[in-house]
Amino acid sequence: MTTVEPVTHGPRARTLRVGGVLALVIALVALIGWLLWPSPPGHLVMHSGTADYIVTVTLDSPRMGDTGIDIELTDRAGRSVDGAVVRVQAVEPRMGYSDAPVTASASGAGRYRAPDVSFMMTGPWDLRVSIVVGGATDQLSVPLWISG
């Protein structure tokens, strides 16, 4: 009668198996970390308007600090509004923080740019926009959230 001896794996095979499992766990943790890692915010685009104008406001970055703001201004028929004086002011409504209004410069057909609008802290803010065309003034307030 032949006896069959059990196959035993040596320490080398066990080390390879543990190393393979460890590599798989590290790869899985790295993948999960990469998927969950916060990405920097992109532009924030908001739409609003008044009785006379449709306004699109684009923040370069909705984070604390100085940021550029683009404003696209059209009339209710969709035609771009040129020659307007557009002022932007960031106001923190809970504490009353604000800087002086920033006058946006014309940057194209119905487009205006305020290069450095300051958000001093995180939380809720109101972006107050004043539009002067001819002798008429329209004002609107756009609420937004600034992160850290």
Side-chain angles (χ1 to χ4, degrees), residues 9-16:
H9 297 288
R12 180 165 157 62
R14 181 181 186 114
T15 301
L16 286 175

Side-chain angles (χ1 to χ4, degrees), residues 63-65 92 94-95 97 118-125 146-148:
R63 293 203 158 205
M64 188 170 57
E92 201 284 349
R94 296 175 303 161
M95 303 297 247
Y97 295 141
S118 183
F119 295 98
M120 298 172 265
M121 62 187 292
T122 61
W125 284 80
I146 298 297
S147 62

